[in-house]
Amino acid sequence: MAVSDGLAKLSKRAKKAEDDAQAASTQARKDLEKTVDDMQMSAEAEAKKVQQRAQAASDQVSDTWRDVQKTWNAHVAKVRDDVHQQRAMFDASNASARADWAEQSAGMAVDYAYAAIEEAEYAVLDAILARREAEDALATASR
């Protein structure tokens, strides 16, 4: 698979997230709770897959990406803990504040995802350039 194929996969996943969020706005509360729980399990499973891929490619993955993975895992755990704490403190008097907090948190998650897409695009283009440079160097050396 070419590295640029990952961008197509990313684009499709982002579109699914958009569609799911749109559909969630009309779901009944019980259905929405199940959707949220299912999405949490899916996100956790995907995080495990990324971690396994990073471990499998440990010789080829830079220390920087290992650090990013550790930091990301810690961040996700903290955000989920905060969400669970906010839910535990839920009562009618703070429902609006909790909703405001959740919306702000979601907005930050989207902003970080956007930045990650930018970084992914840069990494893919840089990888394509590196491959082109390698091919050109081999062609020059074989002359």
Side-chain angles (χ1 to χ4, degrees), residues 37-56:
D37 289 344
D38 290 348
M39 188 64 243
Q40 180 180 359
M41 288 189 302
S42 177
E44 289 170 358
E46 187 60 31
K48 285 180 185 177
K49 286 181 194 175
V50 169
Q51 188 174 22
Q52 289 169 347
R53 286 191 297 265
Q55 287 173 348

mmCIF file with all atom_site columns, all heavy atoms in Angstrom, residues 37-56:
data_model
loop_
_atom_site.group_PDB
_atom_site.id
_atom_site.type_symbol
_atom_site.label_atom_id
_atom_site.label_alt_id
_atom_site.label_comp_id
_atom_site.label_asym_id
_atom_site.label_entity_id
_atom_site.label_seq_id
_atom_site.pdbx_PDB_ins_code
_atom_site.Cartn_x
_atom_site.Cartn_y
_atom_site.Cartn_z
_atom_site.occupancy
_atom_site.B_iso_or_equiv
_atom_site.pdbx_formal_charge
_atom_site.auth_seq_id
_atom_site.auth_comp_id
_atom_site.auth_asym_id
_atom_site.auth_atom_id
_atom_site.pdbx_PDB_model_num
ATOM 1   N N   . ASP A 1 37 ? -21.016 4.647  23.649 1.00 0.00 ? 37 ASP A N   1
ATOM 2   C CA  . ASP A 1 37 ? -20.283 3.514  24.227 1.00 0.00 ? 37 ASP A CA  1
ATOM 3   C C   . ASP A 1 37 ? -19.585 2.696  23.139 1.00 0.00 ? 37 ASP A C   1
ATOM 4   O O   . ASP A 1 37 ? -18.426 2.298  23.297 1.00 0.00 ? 37 ASP A O   1
ATOM 5   C CB  . ASP A 1 37 ? -21.221 2.614  25.035 1.00 0.00 ? 37 ASP A CB  1
ATOM 6   C CG  . ASP A 1 37 ? -21.686 3.264  26.334 1.00 0.00 ? 37 ASP A CG  1
ATOM 7   O OD1 . ASP A 1 37 ? -21.061 4.261  26.768 1.00 0.00 ? 37 ASP A OD1 1
ATOM 8   O OD2 . ASP A 1 37 ? -22.686 2.773  26.898 1.00 0.00 ? 37 ASP A OD2 1
ATOM 9   N N   . ASP A 1 38 ? -20.293 2.453  22.039 1.00 0.00 ? 38 ASP A N   1
ATOM 10  C CA  . ASP A 1 38 ? -19.701 1.701  20.922 1.00 0.00 ? 38 ASP A CA  1
ATOM 11  C C   . ASP A 1 38 ? -18.502 2.447  20.336 1.00 0.00 ? 38 ASP A C   1
ATOM 12  O O   . ASP A 1 38 ? -17.477 1.852  20.009 1.00 0.00 ? 38 ASP A O   1
ATOM 13  C CB  . ASP A 1 38 ? -20.732 1.449  19.820 1.00 0.00 ? 38 ASP A CB  1
ATOM 14  C CG  . ASP A 1 38 ? -21.814 0.459  20.232 1.00 0.00 ? 38 ASP A CG  1
ATOM 15  O OD1 . ASP A 1 38 ? -21.664 -0.215 21.280 1.00 0.00 ? 38 ASP A OD1 1
ATOM 16  O OD2 . ASP A 1 38 ? -22.827 0.369  19.504 1.00 0.00 ? 38 ASP A OD2 1
ATOM 17  N N   . MET A 1 39 ? -18.624 3.774  20.216 1.00 0.00 ? 39 MET A N   1
ATOM 18  C CA  . MET A 1 39 ? -17.538 4.566  19.658 1.00 0.00 ? 39 MET A CA  1
ATOM 19  C C   . MET A 1 39 ? -16.332 4.554  20.583 1.00 0.00 ? 39 MET A C   1
ATOM 20  O O   . MET A 1 39 ? -15.186 4.483  20.127 1.00 0.00 ? 39 MET A O   1
ATOM 21  C CB  . MET A 1 39 ? -18.014 6.005  19.411 1.00 0.00 ? 39 MET A CB  1
ATOM 22  C CG  . MET A 1 39 ? -17.017 6.857  18.649 1.00 0.00 ? 39 MET A CG  1
ATOM 23  S SD  . MET A 1 39 ? -16.727 6.247  16.975 1.00 0.00 ? 39 MET A SD  1
ATOM 24  C CE  . MET A 1 39 ? -15.011 5.833  17.084 1.00 0.00 ? 39 MET A CE  1
ATOM 25  N N   . GLN A 1 40 ? -16.574 4.579  21.884 1.00 0.00 ? 40 GLN A N   1
ATOM 26  C CA  . GLN A 1 40 ? -15.466 4.518  22.839 1.00 0.00 ? 40 GLN A CA  1
ATOM 27  C C   . GLN A 1 40 ? -14.716 3.196  22.683 1.00 0.00 ? 40 GLN A C   1
ATOM 28  O O   . GLN A 1 40 ? -13.486 3.177  22.628 1.00 0.00 ? 40 GLN A O   1
ATOM 29  C CB  . GLN A 1 40 ? -15.957 4.673  24.269 1.00 0.00 ? 40 GLN A CB  1
ATOM 30  C CG  . GLN A 1 40 ? -14.817 4.603  25.273 1.00 0.00 ? 40 GLN A CG  1
ATOM 31  C CD  . GLN A 1 40 ? -15.256 4.757  26.709 1.00 0.00 ? 40 GLN A CD  1
ATOM 32  O OE1 . GLN A 1 40 ? -16.429 4.941  27.012 1.00 0.00 ? 40 GLN A OE1 1
ATOM 33  N NE2 . GLN A 1 40 ? -14.302 4.675  27.615 1.00 0.00 ? 40 GLN A NE2 1
ATOM 34  N N   . MET A 1 41 ? -15.450 2.103  22.579 1.00 0.00 ? 41 MET A N   1
ATOM 35  C CA  . MET A 1 41 ? -14.799 0.798  22.399 1.00 0.00 ? 41 MET A CA  1
ATOM 36  C C   . MET A 1 41 ? -14.033 0.753  21.081 1.00 0.00 ? 41 MET A C   1
ATOM 37  O O   . MET A 1 41 ? -12.923 0.224  21.014 1.00 0.00 ? 41 MET A O   1
ATOM 38  C CB  . MET A 1 41 ? -15.836 -0.331 22.481 1.00 0.00 ? 41 MET A CB  1
ATOM 39  C CG  . MET A 1 41 ? -16.347 -0.558 23.886 1.00 0.00 ? 41 MET A CG  1
ATOM 40  S SD  . MET A 1 41 ? -17.366 -2.047 24.098 1.00 0.00 ? 41 MET A SD  1
ATOM 41  C CE  . MET A 1 41 ? -18.675 -1.762 22.938 1.00 0.00 ? 41 MET A CE  1
ATOM 42  N N   . SER A 1 42 ? -14.609 1.319  20.030 1.00 0.00 ? 42 SER A N   1
ATOM 43  C CA  . SER A 1 42 ? -13.949 1.345  18.730 1.00 0.00 ? 42 SER A CA  1
ATOM 44  C C   . SER A 1 42 ? -12.670 2.172  18.786 1.00 0.00 ? 42 SER A C   1
ATOM 45  O O   . SER A 1 42 ? -11.629 1.773  18.248 1.00 0.00 ? 42 SER A O   1
ATOM 46  C CB  . SER A 1 42 ? -14.907 1.910  17.677 1.00 0.00 ? 42 SER A CB  1
ATOM 47  O OG  . SER A 1 42 ? -14.277 1.999  16.428 1.00 0.00 ? 42 SER A OG  1
ATOM 48  N N   . ALA A 1 43 ? -12.733 3.325  19.441 1.00 0.00 ? 43 ALA A N   1
ATOM 49  C CA  . ALA A 1 43 ? -11.556 4.188  19.559 1.00 0.00 ? 43 ALA A CA  1
ATOM 50  C C   . ALA A 1 43 ? -10.455 3.495  20.359 1.00 0.00 ? 43 ALA A C   1
ATOM 51  O O   . ALA A 1 43 ? -9.272  3.565  20.007 1.00 0.00 ? 43 ALA A O   1
ATOM 52  C CB  . ALA A 1 43 ? -11.935 5.515  20.211 1.00 0.00 ? 43 ALA A CB  1
ATOM 53  N N   . GLU A 1 44 ? -10.840 2.806  21.420 1.00 0.00 ? 44 GLU A N   1
ATOM 54  C CA  . GLU A 1 44 ? -9.855  2.079  22.218 1.00 0.00 ? 44 GLU A CA  1
ATOM 55  C C   . GLU A 1 44 ? -9.218  0.951  21.408 1.00 0.00 ? 44 GLU A C   1
ATOM 56  O O   . GLU A 1 44 ? -8.006  0.735  21.488 1.00 0.00 ? 44 GLU A O   1
ATOM 57  C CB  . GLU A 1 44 ? -10.505 1.529  23.483 1.00 0.00 ? 44 GLU A CB  1
ATOM 58  C CG  . GLU A 1 44 ? -10.847 2.609  24.495 1.00 0.00 ? 44 GLU A CG  1
ATOM 59  C CD  . GLU A 1 44 ? -11.699 2.126  25.665 1.00 0.00 ? 44 GLU A CD  1
ATOM 60  O OE1 . GLU A 1 44 ? -12.075 0.929  25.693 1.00 0.00 ? 44 GLU A OE1 1
ATOM 61  O OE2 . GLU A 1 44 ? -11.997 2.954  26.547 1.00 0.00 ? 44 GLU A OE2 1
ATOM 62  N N   . ALA A 1 45 ? -10.031 0.259  20.626 1.00 0.00 ? 45 ALA A N   1
ATOM 63  C CA  . ALA A 1 45 ? -9.498  -0.828 19.788 1.00 0.00 ? 45 ALA A CA  1
ATOM 64  C C   . ALA A 1 45 ? -8.535  -0.276 18.742 1.00 0.00 ? 45 ALA A C   1
ATOM 65  O O   . ALA A 1 45 ? -7.477  -0.867 18.484 1.00 0.00 ? 45 ALA A O   1
ATOM 66  C CB  . ALA A 1 45 ? -10.648 -1.589 19.119 1.00 0.00 ? 45 ALA A CB  1
ATOM 67  N N   . GLU A 1 46 ? -8.870  0.855  18.143 1.00 0.00 ? 46 GLU A N   1
ATOM 68  C CA  . GLU A 1 46 ? -7.994  1.456  17.138 1.00 0.00 ? 46 GLU A CA  1
ATOM 69  C C   . GLU A 1 46 ? -6.691  1.916  17.776 1.00 0.00 ? 46 GLU A C   1
ATOM 70  O O   . GLU A 1 46 ? -5.615  1.750  17.199 1.00 0.00 ? 46 GLU A O   1
ATOM 71  C CB  . GLU A 1 46 ? -8.683  2.628  16.436 1.00 0.00 ? 46 GLU A CB  1
ATOM 72  C CG  . GLU A 1 46 ? -7.894  3.194  15.275 1.00 0.00 ? 46 GLU A CG  1
ATOM 73  C CD  . GLU A 1 46 ? -7.616  2.203  14.153 1.00 0.00 ? 46 GLU A CD  1
ATOM 74  O OE1 . GLU A 1 46 ? -8.426  1.291  13.919 1.00 0.00 ? 46 GLU A OE1 1
ATOM 75  O OE2 . GLU A 1 46 ? -6.565  2.353  13.499 1.00 0.00 ? 46 GLU A OE2 1
ATOM 76  N N   . ALA A 1 47 ? -6.774  2.468  18.978 1.00 0.00 ? 47 ALA A N   1
ATOM 77  C CA  . ALA A 1 47 ? -5.562  2.896  19.687 1.00 0.00 ? 47 ALA A CA  1
ATOM 78  C C   . ALA A 1 47 ? -4.650  1.696  19.952 1.00 0.00 ? 47 ALA A C   1
ATOM 79  O O   . ALA A 1 47 ? -3.424  1.790  19.807 1.00 0.00 ? 47 ALA A O   1
ATOM 80  C CB  . ALA A 1 47 ? -5.928  3.589  20.992 1.00 0.00 ? 47 ALA A CB  1
ATOM 81  N N   . LYS A 1 48 ? -5.238  0.566  20.301 1.00 0.00 ? 48 LYS A N   1
ATOM 82  C CA  . LYS A 1 48 ? -4.439  -0.653 20.527 1.00 0.00 ? 48 LYS A CA  1
ATOM 83  C C   . LYS A 1 48 ? -3.774  -1.115 19.232 1.00 0.00 ? 48 LYS A C   1
ATOM 84  O O   . LYS A 1 48 ? -2.625  -1.544 19.241 1.00 0.00 ? 48 LYS A O   1
ATOM 85  C CB  . LYS A 1 48 ? -5.308  -1.770 21.104 1.00 0.00 ? 48 LYS A CB  1
ATOM 86  C CG  . LYS A 1 48 ? -5.640  -1.575 22.557 1.00 0.00 ? 48 LYS A CG  1
ATOM 87  C CD  . LYS A 1 48 ? -6.489  -2.702 23.090 1.00 0.00 ? 48 LYS A CD  1
ATOM 88  C CE  . LYS A 1 48 ? -6.894  -2.413 24.524 1.00 0.00 ? 48 LYS A CE  1
ATOM 89  N NZ  . LYS A 1 48 ? -7.778  -3.439 25.080 1.00 0.00 ? 48 LYS A NZ  1
ATOM 90  N N   . LYS A 1 49 ? -4.503  -1.031 18.122 1.00 0.00 ? 49 LYS A N   1
ATOM 91  C CA  . LYS A 1 49 ? -3.929  -1.412 16.831 1.00 0.00 ? 49 LYS A CA  1
ATOM 92  C C   . LYS A 1 49 ? -2.730  -0.535 16.482 1.00 0.00 ? 49 LYS A C   1
ATOM 93  O O   . LYS A 1 49 ? -1.707  -1.030 16.010 1.00 0.00 ? 49 LYS A O   1
ATOM 94  C CB  . LYS A 1 49 ? -4.968  -1.303 15.709 1.00 0.00 ? 49 LYS A CB  1
ATOM 95  C CG  . LYS A 1 49 ? -6.019  -2.376 15.705 1.00 0.00 ? 49 LYS A CG  1
ATOM 96  C CD  . LYS A 1 49 ? -6.962  -2.133 14.526 1.00 0.00 ? 49 LYS A CD  1
ATOM 97  C CE  . LYS A 1 49 ? -8.226  -2.928 14.630 1.00 0.00 ? 49 LYS A CE  1
ATOM 98  N NZ  . LYS A 1 49 ? -9.162  -2.580 13.548 1.00 0.00 ? 49 LYS A NZ  1
ATOM 99  N N   . VAL A 1 50 ? -2.865  0.770  16.707 1.00 0.00 ? 50 VAL A N   1
ATOM 100 C CA  . VAL A 1 50 ? -1.762  1.689  16.417 1.00 0.00 ? 50 VAL A CA  1
ATOM 101 C C   . VAL A 1 50 ? -0.567  1.340  17.292 1.00 0.00 ? 50 VAL A C   1
ATOM 102 O O   . VAL A 1 50 ? 0.571   1.294  16.819 1.00 0.00 ? 50 VAL A O   1
ATOM 103 C CB  . VAL A 1 50 ? -2.195  3.159  16.622 1.00 0.00 ? 50 VAL A CB  1
ATOM 104 C CG1 . VAL A 1 50 ? -1.005  4.097  16.583 1.00 0.00 ? 50 VAL A CG1 1
ATOM 105 C CG2 . VAL A 1 50 ? -3.222  3.552  15.577 1.00 0.00 ? 50 VAL A CG2 1
ATOM 106 N N   . GLN A 1 51 ? -0.828  1.063  18.550 1.00 0.00 ? 51 GLN A N   1
ATOM 107 C CA  . GLN A 1 51 ? 0.250   0.705  19.464 1.00 0.00 ? 51 GLN A CA  1
ATOM 108 C C   . GLN A 1 51 ? 0.931   -0.591 19.017 1.00 0.00 ? 51 GLN A C   1
ATOM 109 O O   . GLN A 1 51 ? 2.160   -0.689 19.024 1.00 0.00 ? 51 GLN A O   1
ATOM 110 C CB  . GLN A 1 51 ? -0.306  0.561  20.880 1.00 0.00 ? 51 GLN A CB  1
ATOM 111 C CG  . GLN A 1 51 ? 0.759   0.386  21.932 1.00 0.00 ? 51 GLN A CG  1
ATOM 112 C CD  . GLN A 1 51 ? 0.168   0.397  23.329 1.00 0.00 ? 51 GLN A CD  1
ATOM 113 O OE1 . GLN A 1 51 ? -1.020  0.139  23.527 1.00 0.00 ? 51 GLN A OE1 1
ATOM 114 N NE2 . GLN A 1 51 ? 0.991   0.701  24.309 1.00 0.00 ? 51 GLN A NE2 1
ATOM 115 N N   . GLN A 1 52 ? 0.157   -1.567 18.587 1.00 0.00 ? 52 GLN A N   1
ATOM 116 C CA  . GLN A 1 52 ? 0.729   -2.829 18.117 1.00 0.00 ? 52 GLN A CA  1
ATOM 117 C C   . GLN A 1 52 ? 1.550   -2.626 16.848 1.00 0.00 ? 52 GLN A C   1
ATOM 118 O O   . GLN A 1 52 ? 2.622   -3.204 16.696 1.00 0.00 ? 52 GLN A O   1
ATOM 119 C CB  . GLN A 1 52 ? -0.388  -3.858 17.879 1.00 0.00 ? 52 GLN A CB  1
ATOM 120 C CG  . GLN A 1 52 ? -1.014  -4.355 19.155 1.00 0.00 ? 52 GLN A CG  1
ATOM 121 C CD  . GLN A 1 52 ? -2.278  -5.171 18.924 1.00 0.00 ? 52 GLN A CD  1
ATOM 122 O OE1 . GLN A 1 52 ? -2.846  -5.181 17.834 1.00 0.00 ? 52 GLN A OE1 1
ATOM 123 N NE2 . GLN A 1 52 ? -2.744  -5.845 19.967 1.00 0.00 ? 52 GLN A NE2 1
ATOM 124 N N   . ARG A 1 53 ? 1.050   -1.800 15.926 1.00 0.00 ? 53 ARG A N   1
ATOM 125 C CA  . ARG A 1 53 ? 1.813   -1.522 14.706 1.00 0.00 ? 53 ARG A CA  1
ATOM 126 C C   . ARG A 1 53 ? 3.118   -0.813 15.029 1.00 0.00 ? 53 ARG A C   1
ATOM 127 O O   . ARG A 1 53 ? 4.160   -1.107 14.439 1.00 0.00 ? 53 ARG A O   1
ATOM 128 C CB  . ARG A 1 53 ? 0.982   -0.693 13.717 1.00 0.00 ? 53 ARG A CB  1
ATOM 129 C CG  . ARG A 1 53 ? -0.107  -1.496 13.023 1.00 0.00 ? 53 ARG A CG  1
ATOM 130 C CD  . ARG A 1 53 ? -0.739  -0.738 11.859 1.00 0.00 ? 53 ARG A CD  1
ATOM 131 N NE  . ARG A 1 53 ? -1.426  0.481  12.248 1.00 0.00 ? 53 ARG A NE  1
ATOM 132 C CZ  . ARG A 1 53 ? -2.733  0.571  12.488 1.00 0.00 ? 53 ARG A CZ  1
ATOM 133 N NH1 . ARG A 1 53 ? -3.503  -0.484 12.373 1.00 0.00 ? 53 ARG A NH1 1
ATOM 134 N NH2 . ARG A 1 53 ? -3.276  1.725  12.821 1.00 0.00 ? 53 ARG A NH2 1
ATOM 135 N N   . ALA A 1 54 ? 3.077   0.100  15.980 1.00 0.00 ? 54 ALA A N   1
ATOM 136 C CA  . ALA A 1 54 ? 4.290   0.814  16.380 1.00 0.00 ? 54 ALA A CA  1
ATOM 137 C C   . ALA A 1 54 ? 5.287   -0.138 17.022 1.00 0.00 ? 54 ALA A C   1
ATOM 138 O O   . ALA A 1 54 ? 6.491   -0.066 16.753 1.00 0.00 ? 54 ALA A O   1
ATOM 139 C CB  . ALA A 1 54 ? 3.948   1.955  17.333 1.00 0.00 ? 54 ALA A CB  1
ATOM 140 N N   . GLN A 1 55 ? 4.804   -1.057 17.830 1.00 0.00 ? 55 GLN A N   1
ATOM 141 C CA  . GLN A 1 55 ? 5.694   -2.033 18.460 1.00 0.00 ? 55 GLN A CA  1
ATOM 142 C C   . GLN A 1 55 ? 6.278   -2.976 17.427 1.00 0.00 ? 55 GLN A C   1
ATOM 143 O O   . GLN A 1 55 ? 7.457   -3.322 17.490 1.00 0.00 ? 55 GLN A O   1
ATOM 144 C CB  . GLN A 1 55 ? 4.958   -2.814 19.540 1.00 0.00 ? 55 GLN A CB  1
ATOM 145 C CG  . GLN A 1 55 ? 4.682   -1.999 20.785 1.00 0.00 ? 55 GLN A CG  1
ATOM 146 C CD  . GLN A 1 55 ? 3.804   -2.732 21.789 1.00 0.00 ? 55 GLN A CD  1
ATOM 147 O OE1 . GLN A 1 55 ? 3.204   -3.757 21.491 1.00 0.00 ? 55 GLN A OE1 1
ATOM 148 N NE2 . GLN A 1 55 ? 3.710   -2.178 22.987 1.00 0.00 ? 55 GLN A NE2 1
ATOM 149 N N   . ALA A 1 56 ? 5.470   -3.393 16.463 1.00 0.00 ? 56 ALA A N   1
ATOM 150 C CA  . ALA A 1 56 ? 5.945   -4.312 15.434 1.00 0.00 ? 56 ALA A CA  1
ATOM 151 C C   . ALA A 1 56 ? 7.003   -3.663 14.554 1.00 0.00 ? 56 ALA A C   1
ATOM 152 O O   . ALA A 1 56 ? 7.908   -4.329 14.052 1.00 0.00 ? 56 ALA A O   1
ATOM 153 C CB  . ALA A 1 56 ? 4.772   -4.794 14.571 1.00 0.00 ? 56 ALA A CB  1
#
